[in-house]
Amino acid sequence: MSNPLTLVARFVAKPGQEERLRDELNAMIAPSVAEEGCLGYQPFTDPNHPERMIILEEWASSEALDHHFTLPHFQHVANVLDEVLAEPFTLRKLTDIPR
């Protein structure tokens, strides 16, 4: 099994699409945390720039994350992102610093 992963997914909504993006990201919480290997899944909004949002995700392994990308709820939000984002989202994968 691989090391746990922390992901930071960054999103910028088109003008007028902030609420829809927020709703779609929030709708991802329950099915994602129900997945085997999901250790945490929480969206956040920048209070000074409501069009900017992130999801902070924690996964037990890269295999669990890869599986997440194949599931219907992820496929749904991926299609919505094409409609509501002002720019492509970014995904930063992080691991613990070795001690």
Side-chain angles (χ1 to χ4, degrees):
M1 188 178 202
S2 60
N3 293 329
L5 294 173
T6 299
L7 266 65
V8 180
R10 181 184 166 276
F11 309 92
V12 179
K14 290 178 183 174
Q17 295 294 317
E18 299 87 355
E19 185 174 351
R20 183 169 180 209
L21 177 58
R22 189 172 35 256
D23 290 346
E24 293 289 343
L25 297 181
N26 281 328
M28 289 287 292
I29 298 170
S32 296
V33 297
E35 293 175 45
E36 185 173 336
C38 182
L39 306 175
Y41 200 94
Q42 182 62 50
F44 295 91
T45 301
D46 182 330
N48 298 313
H49 301 277
E51 74 281 4
R52 297 181 187 170
M53 300 171 211
I54 67 162
I55 297 177
L56 184 59
E57 306 176 31
E58 295 181 75
W59 295 92
S61 67
S62 59
E63 294 83 7
L65 176 61
D66 290 343
H67 179 69
H68 169 69
F69 292 148
T70 70
L71 297 175
H73 58 275
F74 181 85
Q75 297 299 318
H76 167 77
V77 81
N79 289 330
V80 171
L81 294 178
D82 288 339
E83 300 172 16
V84 302
L85 292 184
E87 59 191 51
F89 73 94
T90 61
L91 187 63
R92 178 166 291 164
K93 295 180 183 179
L94 307 167
T95 59
D96 290 338
I97 295 174
R99 296 176 195 214

